[in-house]
Amino acid sequence: MPIYEYRCKQCEQEFEKYVPGASTVVACPGCASEQVMRKLSVFGLKTAGAFQPSAMSGGGCCGGGCSCH
Ligand SMILES: [Zn+2]
């Protein structure tokens, strides 16, 4: 279910909207402006949060950046 977070460029209000298709027009609920920026989706943030710990734990002593392995 594609729910995205947006921020209005006109009144700087932040809101979430369900966007079933890429062609969906998103307008600000406060001022009805279509000048909005899409932020990272909730699902994207969860995926990134689950990915980072495993990436950080790899490599042991130096993270794999040196030639000691
Ligand atoms: Zn607005």
Side-chain angles (χ1 to χ4, degrees):
M1 190 164 62
I3 297 178
Y4 296 108
E5 288 186 63
Y6 290 87
R7 182 182 180 90
C8 177
K9 293 181 180 179
Q10 296 294 324
C11 66
E12 298 191 345
Q13 177 172 334
E14 296 185 354
F15 58 97
E16 296 179 351
K17 185 172 178 61
Y18 169 62
V19 183
S23 62
T24 301
V25 175
V26 179
C28 172
C31 67
S33 171
E34 295 179 4
Q35 300 297 313
V36 297
M37 297 182 297
R38 191 174 79 183
K39 303 170 65 177
L40 290 175
S41 71
V42 174
F43 300 103
L45 289 173
K46 284 182 179 178
T47 301
F51 175 75
Q52 288 176 346
S54 63
M56 290 295 290
S57 64
C61 66
C62 64
C66 72
S67 59
C68 67
H69 296 289

